Amino acid sequence: MDNSDKERPGRVSRRGMLGVGAAALAAVGVGGALTGCGSSDEVNPSATQTDPTDAIAEANRKVLDAYPFSDTTDFADADRGFLEALQPGVIKDDKGKVVWDTDSYGFLRGSCPSSANPSLWRQSQLTIKQGLYEVAPGFYQIRGLDLSQMTLIEGDTGVIVIDPLISVETAAAGLALYRKHRGNRPVTGLIYSHSHVDHFGGTLGVTTREDVAAGTCPVVAPSGFLEHAVSENIYAGTAMARCAAYMYGAALPRGEKGQIGAGLGQTTSVGTVTLIDPTVSVAKTGEEHVIDGMRIVFQITPGTEAPSEMNFYFPDRRILCMAENATHTLHNILTLRGALVRDPHVWSKYLTESINLYARQSDVVFSSHHWPIWGTDKIVDFLSTQRDLYGYLNDQTLRMLNLGYVGSEIAEQMRMPPALEKQWNTHGYYGSVSHNVKAIYQRYMGWFDGNPAHLWEHPPVDNATRHVDAMGGANAVLKKAQKAYDDADFRWAVQLTNYVIFADPDNKKAKDLEASAFEQLGYGSENATWRNFYLSGAYELRNGSFGTPTAANSKGLLAALAVDQAFDAISLFVNGPKAWDAKVTTDWKFSDNDDRVHRAELRNGVLIHYDRWPDDGLPAPDATITLTRGGFIQNMIGGGNMQDAIAKGDIKVDGSMAVLAQLKGLFDKPDPNFNIVTP
């Protein structure tokens, strides 16, 4: 190929290097379900935190020359329609715990320090704006009171709420601020745009189960919503929550050398998560519903930013909601906290459909993050740019994949078209070109790149021990790592020090050097989640684990589990080797579900479960347990005491009481505090 010399490993885009040579980091320019931190006093900053090196300060200075900082259109749009901020910008739960603290980000009003990428600083200055905004007559948004935005639409008799934030407390505070200006309108409809917790967790802050049950507040969601909302947050919830603590900088202090945002919003609230089952399921594009007199046309977009998601159009008002499918950032194909890999090809196609069906007939577009855009031509341009962004990443990754390049090589070589690079909304504040390319490779090719040398590598500790030994021991490796740090080759410095730490976990010199290198990488990153990961790793190396700041599986989500989902979740706790020889059969009779009987068989280390039917001829169980669905979830997953419930008569057991103790003894308890940067 004529241009093959442009695609050799080691060639990095201008956006990736910005003229800093080998010292630069992939996170400068290439941009690289959910926990968070309510206030900045969760931890104390380490006294040994490093200052930015000259190389990072220079890299950040060059960002100012690379991008159009004189363009203030986004700031004007973010301020448009402002009515009032929440004062003070602190929200507490009923016990006085701070669950959200906008005021802790006051330092962002100042000029960008050398310890932050100016592009990310600019994004955080935009996302920190908070309060009540009027988008159009009768359309209002609560912004800056959680990771997401809550939209309120006035109908004939009340107000329709779209995406009620993460926490009951933040949603209630937002609704109260709206009512302060627009009166005490009842909530006459609730719409979940998709299945991520920042779009449904605050449900009981805006409505009640009684109103939903009475039909005065229909709850609308895309088909498959409940299944995906629960499964993503429960099945791998502990591991995801621990990694999300890094991703959102949950335990980092706020400040110029700490957490300055998350790109999509500032961070996540840490209040009470709730969920009410949808009463209306939207199954196809073009489906129309009228809620409190407001006509809404829906576009189903599964497999885009969430496995269950939808956009919607208000034809009588020429207003379009894009859920989270088009925001002012490059989004994630695979989030750093973990999730199912998304499909950028179908994402791009659905954005084309949005443009052709709705954008050309729209005067306003808003999403459930960031700020709206006004004007038909601007809307079409914005959605077209977002569409081209995901389409280009998908197509070019596959092109290079089919030339034999692996994900890490493609990520280093990928350069976005100049027309996309110059648009602020394509920058990798939340997702990144680098890790999105690797995710696309993973989607099509999996973890294995085809090289047999990578087929059966040693696990991290064994791998590190062999590397350190091959390089002459820890001291020799640390000398090389120090030289890499001094040369501003921070990526190599962290790789070398990581070997030493995993071979010798008590090596303080290695930990301090890796923490310093992590800090430099964080200071230079345009991507907020990369910055938070780097700085969280540095913090834990210096101060020890901060664990998972919030519960991985909230009671509100657990309560929404169907019986089958609850058994699926429990099956993941079985310690297979311990249960190899166990054979236990139990029947679970649910008194609040027409005495439904669900059988569970533990055999060969696997928990199999299925519904029983009358006269099915199955052998008798070792025990039959009669209880409610809620009692089952609370006592088997939610931390309740089964024996106490039996003693109180809430649970009845016919057969062997020892069976329950035997089962419990074969379950592992997930660890929300597992190590990440140390073995």
Side-chain angles (χ1 to χ4, degrees), residues 254-278:
R254 312 283 192 259
E256 295 180 352
K257 293 198 291 184
Q259 207 266 12
I260 63 175
L264 199 63
Q266 288 310 104
T267 186
T268 56
S269 64
V270 292
T272 307
V273 174
T274 56
L275 175 62
I276 295 179
D277 294 2

Side-chain angles (χ1 to χ4, degrees), residues 325-373:
N325 287 320
T327 57
H328 291 273
T329 180
L330 168 61
H331 214 291
N332 288 295
I333 304 304
L334 176 59
T335 72
L336 299 183
R337 66 180 169 85
L340 298 177
V341 181
R342 298 157 188 171
D343 187 344
H345 176 66
V346 76
W347 197 331
S348 178
K349 290 181 73 69
Y350 278 125
L351 285 171
T352 296
E353 186 177 70
S354 301
I355 294 166
N356 292 336
L357 289 178
Y358 310 116
R360 302 183 198 282
Q361 289 78 45
S362 297
D363 299 320
V364 185
V365 65
F366 68 89
S367 300
S368 290
H369 293 275
H370 300 144
W371 51 95
I373 292 175

Side-chain angles (χ1 to χ4, degrees), residues 445-463:
M445 299 297 293
W447 64 270
F448 180 48
D449 62 7
N451 184 341
H454 302 150
L455 185 59
W456 192 28
E457 293 181 336
H458 289 287
V461 172
D462 290 341
N463 189 34

Side-chain angles (χ1 to χ4, degrees), residues 623-647:
T624 298
I625 303 96
T626 302
L627 72 179
T628 63
R629 181 178 67 94
F632 174 72
I633 292 170
Q634 171 63 19
N635 289 286
M636 293 298 290
I637 307 176
N641 189 306
M642 178 75 76
Q643 296 304 319
D644 286 349
I646 293 172

